[in-house]
Amino acid sequence: MTSPAGPGSDIADPGLAAVGQPRIEWAGHSMPVLGLIGRDLAAAQPFSDLAVAACLHLTPETACLVNLIRAGGGRVQLAASNPLSTQDDIAAALAALPGVSVSARAGVDRGGYYQHLHRALDCGPDLVLDDGGDLVNTLHEERPELLAGVRGGCEATASGAARLRRMAAAGTLAFPMVAADQSVVRRMYDNRYGTGQSVLDGIMRATNTLLAGQTVAVAGFGPAGSGIAERARGLGARVVVTETDPVRALDASLQGFTVAPMREAAAAADVLITATGSRDVIAAGHLALLRDGAILANAGHFDVEIDVRALAAAAIKITPQVRPHADEYLLADGRRLILLAEGRVVNLVAAEGNPAAVMDLSFAVQVLALARLAGREPGGEGALAPVPADIDTAVARLALAARGVDLDELTAAQQEYLDSWREGS
Ligand code: ADE
């Protein structure tokens, strides 16, 4: 039987809980590390009596994270971190749980999106979990009366961490935040494998295009962009990388990718994917260069990488949803350009985000960082810190244990040698 949504929830349809519940269980089967951590959290109760305000993508994997915080004694007040990524059945299943309230509906407008962030903050958070920085930003800008009660929080993405870094530098960050994108485990697995696969999954679901033999332009060769480029090459595409950072451009070049400026890549590409964290990467000036039928997709957190306004201004006709999550822009010269997911994060809008096995590790890092912050007093220094190295090591060990993989241990002599600076040739 479906329980009604919690009193503080604002969701599309509480009746969808029965659809979401088995999807959460399915994801849980691929999240063994969270299972192992859950046992420890249930015993230690680090979140006992604490309220967590969270702004995350409403996916089955996020639901498993929320269950972990509940197991550790916490209450969670959740909002979506993107207006289009919310899975309404998952929102409904979560809203039916005790200790959880959800404010999230797929397709909500900008006003509704921020209203939902405020509802999440209404819990008077002890801790915050953010994905993109909108929750922490709203907390500082619009709910300053709540700042003194916050012990700390964790930010999932590089885009959000970049905002926090600027806040910390300006002296406006009021409590410690941990940047999960700095976690070695997260960088290796989430961006490279997770984003690499799920972005192409989103493009293929939305278009049913064959990538083999096509030219795919990937803007940005950071952890996400390099994963996308690698996977696109694995599917048989010719990959062109665009970069502004010489070190990353060199890395791409040495890995055998063609590196070119966007004006060249735009003219050559069948599919263009932005993954830079910056704005106007595909800008008005590039539109004249694009090939007929070019597919445009953004993998970055914010919808500023493709200049959608310029695209709309250049179009003589826009046909929304020629396929789910694909809009067609017809230009005066007869070319058709296909924009996916309205320029929003394509892997979470047109597909299901990163697979559960990947989010297992990312969320393990985040929940352990959050548990550590739960043990401190509110307030203090408003700094942005990397994930403590021992958390990365612990998560890697748990992931190996869950896979039944053994590793060697250093002998005492090896440890002594590695700790010493006296021994040379
Ligand atoms: N970010 C990327 N993939 C995700 C997922 N599956 N769930 C939540 N957040 C994500």
Side-chain angles (χ1 to χ4, degrees):
M1 200 187 85
T2 308
S3 333
S9 289
D10 178 23
I11 56 173
D13 180 359
L16 291 174
V19 181
Q21 187 50 43
R23 296 186 59 227
I24 296 169
E25 278 168 34
W26 175 265
H29 293 311
S30 296
M31 303 184 93
V33 174
L34 290 195
L36 292 170
I37 291 174
R39 281 192 236 155
D40 292 345
L41 294 182
Q45 294 288 291
F47 305 119
S48 181
D49 267 342
L50 297 184
V52 180
C55 173
L56 300 168
H57 298 290
L58 268 282
T59 67
E61 295 75 32
T62 295
C64 294
L65 170 67
V66 168
N67 277 330
L68 216 60
I69 295 170
R70 292 175 62 232
R75 287 171 280 122
V76 183
Q77 212 139 311
L78 195 63
S81 58
N82 187 298
L84 292 187
S85 67
T86 298
Q87 299 178 24
D88 285 323
D89 57 335
I90 301 301
L94 275 170
L97 298 173
V100 181
S101 88
V102 182
S103 301
R105 295 163 179 261
V108 76
D109 63 13
R110 187 181 155 81
Y113 173 78
Y114 277 96
Q115 209 174 48
H116 285 161
L117 295 188
H118 279 284
R119 289 173 67 102
L121 291 171
D122 284 344
C123 67
D126 300 288
L127 294 163
V128 293
L129 269 175
D130 208 355
D131 186 323
D134 284 341
L135 187 74
V136 170
N137 203 266
T138 303
L139 176 57
H140 281 75
E141 299 275 321
E142 293 173 40
R143 305 292 293 271
E145 75 283 3
L146 300 175
L147 289 171
V150 182
R151 298 173 189 216
C154 193
E155 163 58 48
T157 65
S159 300
R163 295 174 84 185
L164 290 172
R165 206 162 289 121
R166 295 192 284 268
M167 283 177 80
T172 49
L173 188 61
F175 47 78
M177 288 290 295
V178 170
D181 77 300
Q182 296 297 314
S183 147
V184 181
V185 162
R186 190 183 182 282
R187 276 203 167 199
M188 279 169 81
Y189 296 100
D190 187 304
N191 292 306
R192 188 157 146 218
Y193 300 122
T195 311
Q197 174 172 310
S198 61
V199 163
L200 296 178
D201 182 18
I203 292 169
M204 290 188 290
R205 288 193 203 196
T207 61
N208 197 27
T209 197
L210 175 72
L211 288 171
Q214 298 218 33
T215 299
V216 173
V218 179
F221 202 71
S226 60
I228 297 165
E230 242 177 70
R231 292 299 182 254
R233 178 158 67 183
L235 285 164
R238 272 184 302 277
V239 180
V240 183
V241 168
T242 76
E243 250 303 343
T244 55
D245 179 315
V247 176
R248 288 181 169 175
L250 178 63
D251 186 17
S253 179
L254 293 180
Q255 289 190 40
F257 294 106
T258 301
V259 179
M262 179 54 88
R263 61 178 184 283
E264 284 176 29
D270 303 293
V271 180
L272 294 96
I273 308 167
T274 53
T276 67
S278 187
R279 61 174 302 161
D280 303 334
V281 179
I282 298 175
H286 299 121
L287 298 180
L289 305 171
L290 292 167
R291 296 167 76 149
D292 179 33
I295 294 166
L296 311 179
N298 167 45
H301 184 86
F302 294 110
D303 61 344
V304 294
E305 303 209 18
I306 300 170
D307 188 345
V308 178
R309 276 196 204 160
L311 184 57
I316 54 167
K317 184 177 169 208
I318 302 172
T319 313
Q321 303 284 308
V322 282
R323 286 172 56 91
H325 306 300
D327 300 337
E328 183 183 278
Y329 290 71
L330 179 65
L331 306 188
D333 60 12
R335 282 176 301 137
R336 293 171 315 113
L337 302 178
I338 311 298
L339 177 68
L340 304 189
E342 300 175 25
R344 295 191 185 274
V345 59
V346 72
N347 62 338
L348 280 142
V349 177
E352 295 173 64
N354 294 341
V358 167
M359 296 315 292
D360 190 31
L361 302 182
S362 303
F363 283 154
V365 166
Q366 287 176 58
V367 81
L368 289 179
L370 202 68
R372 206 160 282 184
L373 290 163
R376 63 181 300 284
E377 292 299 312
E381 203 193 339
L384 181 66
V387 171
D390 66 299
I391 289 184
D392 258 338
T393 306
V395 170
R397 278 193 192 284
L398 289 171
L400 289 170
R403 287 160 178 75
V405 177
D406 269 342
L407 70 167
D408 285 328
E409 284 192 29
L410 291 171
T411 63
Q414 285 174 322
Q415 189 66 62
E416 194 183 334
Y417 175 78
L418 293 171
D419 289 343
S420 157
W421 48 270
R422 289 184 191 282
E423 229 176 301
S425 53

